[in-house]
Amino acid sequence: MEKLNINQLIRKIGLSFFALFLTITFAACSNQNANTNKDNNTQAEEADNKDQKEDSEKTEESTNKDSEDKKNSDKQISDKADHKENLDCCGNEKREIFVTADDVKEVIDGKEELDNYIIAEVTWGESDASQDYLKNHIPGAIHINTDSIEEGPVWNFKSDDDIVKSMLDNGIDKDTTVFLYGPDSGAPRVALAYLIEGADNVKLIDGGIKDWMDKGYETEKEENKAEAKDDFKAEYPAHPEMIVSLDEAKKDIEDENSDVQYISTRAYEEYIGETSGYTYIPKAGELPGAIYGHDEADYKNENGTYISYTDMLDMLKKEGVDPSKEMVFYCGTGWRAALPVLKFYEKGIDAKLFDGGWNEWQMHDELPVQVGDPKDNAEMTTVGNLSNDRASKE
């Protein structure tokens, strides 16, 4: 056997230790890498789980949002559908003002269920002053005095508080369906007052007691009294924009506002200044630029029913009325002008009423006046220059 010298022995031992060191180092590195990979895998797994959780939460949030959006969309569609049901063929809001005797008969007979309604004949004065009420009226009808909603000497509408109090005294609140009729334009006058304050369901019985009796429906003579209420159930007035004041009318006339039309619903003799049409109005004439809007009789058929909206519109257009512009109707004291305002309102067109009318205008000497037919070069003057002998003799 070959003997190793000391140098060879040391070299062999050194190589063995070096090999052992490499083995230990490699094992340690492998273990560290394994631990590092494990940590990395754990972090990756945790990150993946976090991403999955966030994705899940986002998906849930998105689903909830989609669900909420769908609900809102469905509600909008439903609201639009409900609104569409309240629109006519021209896209205007449906408003029913004029009803027939048949409609009222169905309510009385219970064929149409209405728990909160009143029927009323409307005239000037109390029930014993009415030419019809204590002779024949629709069963259950009360009587309403026009003085309950207006007062002299101008005969403008009373205060909102006074009108609402009179409504409550007559058993009328915001939700009451009110069927009104009468022999003249007092009924439209009261209907308009109630509408302005906020009664949602004001109706005019077209043809009144005559049409009711012509159809053979029963009547009664006994006076009916309303059961008063104490809560109107809403703030009022609901439609103050439907009234034009004297100051507003003065400004429109002074500014020669071409976007506003003042339409006089009076007899032609009143329109051209031959007569005031009233025993208590001494002066005759019109607001400058006023358009002839015809008298009350021209708004009725031979049987006493109101003419159709189409016929009314044709009649007014022939006189130069442009329904695309603002329309302000007036007469002597606001009665006759109420009817066309209601006719337009039913069609979704918000015409207005100059409540004071000619009566209030002629109380101010400085105001300008038109006398004669503008088609024949009407004379322009002032109230103070008018004669005081134009009151009606009747």
Side-chain angles (χ1 to χ4, degrees):
M1 180 179 292
E2 182 181 359
K3 293 182 180 180
L4 298 176
N5 61 31
I6 188 66
N7 290 331
Q8 289 176 328
L9 180 61
I10 291 172
R11 186 182 296 172
K12 281 189 175 183
I13 293 171
L15 289 173
S16 297
F17 274 109
F18 180 72
L20 178 62
F21 172 76
L22 288 177
T23 302
I24 293 172
T25 301
F26 177 78
C29 288
S30 297
N31 187 52
Q32 182 178 359
N33 288 336
N35 289 336
T36 300
N37 290 336
K38 181 179 180 182
D39 289 341
N40 289 339
N41 289 337
T42 301
Q43 290 175 2
E45 185 178 352
E46 288 176 352
D48 187 53
N49 290 338
K50 181 180 179 182
D51 289 342
Q52 289 180 358
K53 183 178 180 182
E54 288 178 353
D55 290 342
S56 177
E57 289 175 350
K58 287 180 180 178
T59 301
E60 183 178 356
E61 181 180 348
S62 176
T63 302
N64 291 337
K65 185 176 184 301
D66 290 343
S67 178
E68 187 65 26
D69 288 344
K70 186 177 186 305
K71 286 181 181 178
N72 291 334
S73 176
D74 290 344
K75 185 178 186 301
Q76 289 176 355
I77 293 172
S78 177
D79 289 346
K80 287 180 180 179
D82 290 342
H83 180 62
K84 187 175 181 181
E85 289 179 0
N86 291 324
L87 301 180
D88 62 18
C89 60
C90 299
N92 297 319
E93 183 181 351
K94 291 179 183 177
R95 299 161 170 172
E96 184 186 57
I97 299 292
F98 298 88
V99 298
T100 67
D102 294 333
D103 295 329
V104 180
K105 186 67 166 58
E106 288 191 354
V107 171
I108 293 175
D109 292 345
K111 294 179 180 179
E112 181 178 346
E113 294 185 11
L114 281 179
D115 295 329
N116 183 8
Y117 76 91
I118 67 106
I119 303 170
E121 185 216 63
V122 178
T123 61
W124 176 78
E126 298 302 330
S127 58
D128 57 357
S130 169
Q131 63 183 13
D132 295 317
Y133 184 73
L134 296 180
K135 295 178 182 178
N136 289 293
H137 57 256
I138 297 174
I142 64 171
H143 179 270
I144 292 178
N145 185 350
T146 56
D147 282 350
S148 64
I149 55 98
E150 63 178 13
E151 59 187 347
V154 181
W155 296 107
N156 275 355
F157 284 134
K158 289 183 174 181
S159 71
D160 298 314
D161 287 341
D162 286 343
I163 293 176
V164 169
K165 182 180 183 305
S166 74
M167 293 172 71
L168 291 171
D169 288 343
N170 286 316
I172 301 167
D173 60 30
K174 171 186 176 294
D175 299 323
T176 304
T177 300
V178 186
F179 297 102
L180 302 175
Y181 70 95
D184 51 34
S185 51
R189 173 73 167 166
V190 171
L192 183 56
Y194 289 179
L195 176 65
I196 290 170
E197 296 307 333
D200 288 338
N201 300 298
V202 181
K203 317 291 184 186
L204 283 172
I205 304 176
D206 198 358
I209 191 66
K210 181 181 183 302
D211 190 51
W212 181 272
M213 295 178 70
D214 286 348
K215 291 182 175 179
Y217 295 147
E218 294 182 0
T219 61
E220 63 180 13
K221 298 180 180 180
E222 296 77 14
E223 183 173 6
N224 299 301
K225 295 292 185 181
E227 184 176 343
K229 295 183 177 180
D230 57 11
D231 183 6
F232 189 63
K233 299 181 181 178
E235 294 183 2
Y236 57 84
H239 299 288
E241 74 283 353
M242 296 182 73
I243 295 293
V244 171
S245 68
L246 176 64
D247 288 340
E248 290 172 318
K250 286 167 59 177
K251 188 176 187 309
D252 285 335
I253 299 302
E254 289 171 1
D255 294 347
E256 298 182 354
N257 189 346
S258 60
D259 293 327
V260 182
Q261 305 162 104
Y262 280 79
I263 305 162
S264 175
T265 51
R266 307 170 71 195
Y268 186 71
E269 293 75 18
E270 296 174 73
Y271 179 68
I272 62 176
E274 289 184 359
T275 177
S276 72
Y278 299 80
T279 58
Y280 54 87
I281 300 178
K283 300 176 183 290
E286 292 290 4
L287 280 63
I291 300 172
Y292 179 50
H294 288 262
D295 196 10
E296 179 179 357
D298 294 334
Y299 287 82
K300 287 188 176 183
N301 298 306
E302 289 184 2
N303 64 357
T305 58
Y306 298 115
I307 62 174
S308 69
Y309 170 79
T310 302
D311 288 344
M312 179 193 74
L313 193 59
D314 288 343
M315 178 177 73
L316 294 175
K317 281 183 175 180
K318 287 178 181 177
E319 300 298 339
V321 174
D322 181 354
S324 69
K325 295 183 178 181
E326 182 174 309
M327 296 177 289
V328 180
F329 289 88
Y330 74 94
C331 54
T333 61
W335 282 39
R336 290 172 284 179
L339 182 61
V341 172
L342 291 171
K343 277 281 188 181
F344 278 110
Y345 179 84
E346 186 177 54
K347 293 298 181 179
I349 301 171
D350 295 329
K352 298 181 179 181
L353 173 74
F354 168 34
D355 194 23
W358 173 248
N359 187 31
E360 186 173 20
W361 192 267
Q362 60 90 43
M363 292 178 177
H364 300 270
D365 286 347
E366 77 283 2
L367 293 181
V369 174
Q370 162 186 300
V371 178
D373 193 328
K375 297 174 183 176
D376 299 323
N377 296 319
E379 176 189 353
M380 298 303 297
T381 184
T382 61
V383 171
N385 290 327
L386 297 175
S387 64
N388 290 311
D389 60 353
R390 293 293 185 265
S392 175
K393 307 303 180 187
E394 299 178 0

